[in-house]
């Protein structure tokens, strides 16, 4: 359940009072503006409402943001390294060059988000929804994508080296080349367009080593 906007503003003000090098929070026509603010390791209550916020370059490293909503927000170059973001909502958000390395994103929803050049290395994205996202040149090295949905995504030069795609769905994925799947950790039970798995095997993927 999401907080009310007033509850969210109070939670952010409390965090700003405790944080180091924090800048003053601004509201522009009801839109929360917190660019370049430091919330590192802050433990927010569940359901923070940051919809339609301006959060470019904000530092949420190791922060607790369970069930937070960032829908339709600008969050470019933000730092979510090792953040707890289970069931977080990033639908329609702009997240170019953001860092989600080692973050927990179980059941997070990124539908229609822009994730160009975003880092998800070693993150947990089990059962996450990434349908219809822009993942061009994003990195999922050693990420857990078990049962994740990546349907109709743009996967141009997306890196899956060492990623676990067990049971993941990649139907209708655009610009996905067989070579991108060769060095994945696991493709068992992955759902792909006809011939995609065979192309990966032909390119060098060895399923017998990953089951």
């Amino acid at each position: 359940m999401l907080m009310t906007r007033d509850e969210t503003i109070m939670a952010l003000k409390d965090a700003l009072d405790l944080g180091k090098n924090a800048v003053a929070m601004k509201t522009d026509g009801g839109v929360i503006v917190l660019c370049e603010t430091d919330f590192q390791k802050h433990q927010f209550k569940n359901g923070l409402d940051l919809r339609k916020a301006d959060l470019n370059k904000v530092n949420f490293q190791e922060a607790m943001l369970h069930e937070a909503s960032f829908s339709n927000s600008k969050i470019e170059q933000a730092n979510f390294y090792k953040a707890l973001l289970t069931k977080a909502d990033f639908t329609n958000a702009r997240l170019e060059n953001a860092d989600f390395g080692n973050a927990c994103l179980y059941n997070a929803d990124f539908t229609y988000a822009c994730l160009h050049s975003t880092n998800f290395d070693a993150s947990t994205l089990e059962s996450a929804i990434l349908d219809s996202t822009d993942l061009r040149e994003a990195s999922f090295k050693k990420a857990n994508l078990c049962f994740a949905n990546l349907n109709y995504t743009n996967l141009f030069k997306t890196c899956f080296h060492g990623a676990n795609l067990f049971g993941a769905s990649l139907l209708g994925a655009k610009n996905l080349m067989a070579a991108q799947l060769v060095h994945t950790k696991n493709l068992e039970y992955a759902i792909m367009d006809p011939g995609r798995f065979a192309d990966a095997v032909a390119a060098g993927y060895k399923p017998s080593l990953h089951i």
Side-chain angles (χ1 to χ4, degrees):
M1 178 182 249
L2 280 181
M3 293 182 186
T4 66
R5 183 49 63 99
D6 286 343
E7 289 172 337
T8 293
I9 290 172
M10 287 300 298
L12 292 169
K13 285 182 176 178
D14 288 344
L16 287 171
D17 288 340
L18 295 170
K20 296 178 180 178
N21 303 316
V23 298
M25 180 174 65
K26 300 177 183 178
T27 56
D28 182 6
V31 176
I32 293 173
V33 181
L34 283 166
C35 296
E36 300 187 43
T37 308
D38 186 4
F39 293 111
Q40 184 172 345
K41 295 186 178 181
H42 192 77
Q43 297 186 11
F44 291 99
K45 292 181 181 179
N46 295 358
L48 200 68
D49 183 2
L50 288 169
R51 291 174 293 177
K52 297 182 180 179
D54 190 345
L55 302 168
N56 289 339
K57 297 184 179 180
V58 167
N59 181 17
F60 284 116
Q61 182 174 331
E62 299 183 66
M64 184 179 292
L65 293 156
H66 181 67
E67 295 183 341
S69 180
F70 299 89
S71 180
N72 293 288
S73 292
K74 299 176 183 178
I75 328 174
E76 297 176 13
Q77 299 181 59
N79 182 6
F80 289 97
Y81 182 77
K82 284 190 175 182
L84 178 61
L85 292 153
T86 52
K87 298 184 180 180
D89 180 5
F90 289 98
T91 54
N92 289 293
R94 297 197 64 87
L95 288 150
E96 293 97 325
N97 293 293
D99 184 4
F100 288 95
N102 285 276
C104 181
L105 292 153
Y106 177 79
N107 262 343
D109 189 352
F110 288 92
T111 305
Y112 294 116
C114 184
L115 297 160
H116 184 205
S117 298
T118 297
N119 175 42
F120 290 98
D121 291 352
S123 61
T124 299
L125 287 145
E126 187 173 348
S127 300
I129 303 170
L130 296 109
D131 291 340
S132 302
T133 55
D134 178 0
L135 284 165
R136 290 172 297 152
E137 299 180 289
S139 181
F140 292 92
K141 293 177 183 176
K142 298 184 179 180
N144 178 3
L145 287 155
C146 292
F147 303 108
N149 288 321
L150 295 100
N151 303 307
Y152 306 104
T153 53
N154 188 342
L155 298 174
F156 178 75
K157 291 187 177 180
T158 305
C159 179
F160 292 106
H161 194 105
N164 188 348
L165 287 155
F166 179 94
S169 181
L170 296 96
L171 292 172
K174 303 172 185 175
N175 301 310
L176 177 62
M177 307 299 290
Q180 291 169 261
L181 302 173
V182 170
H183 298 293
T184 55
K185 180 180 179 181
N186 196 342
L187 282 174
E188 189 179 7
Y189 300 114
I191 303 168
M192 293 181 275
D193 294 323
R196 187 79 75 182
F197 183 80
D199 290 344
V201 172
Y205 176 73
K206 296 180 173 59
S208 61
L209 298 180
H210 304 284
I211 296 174

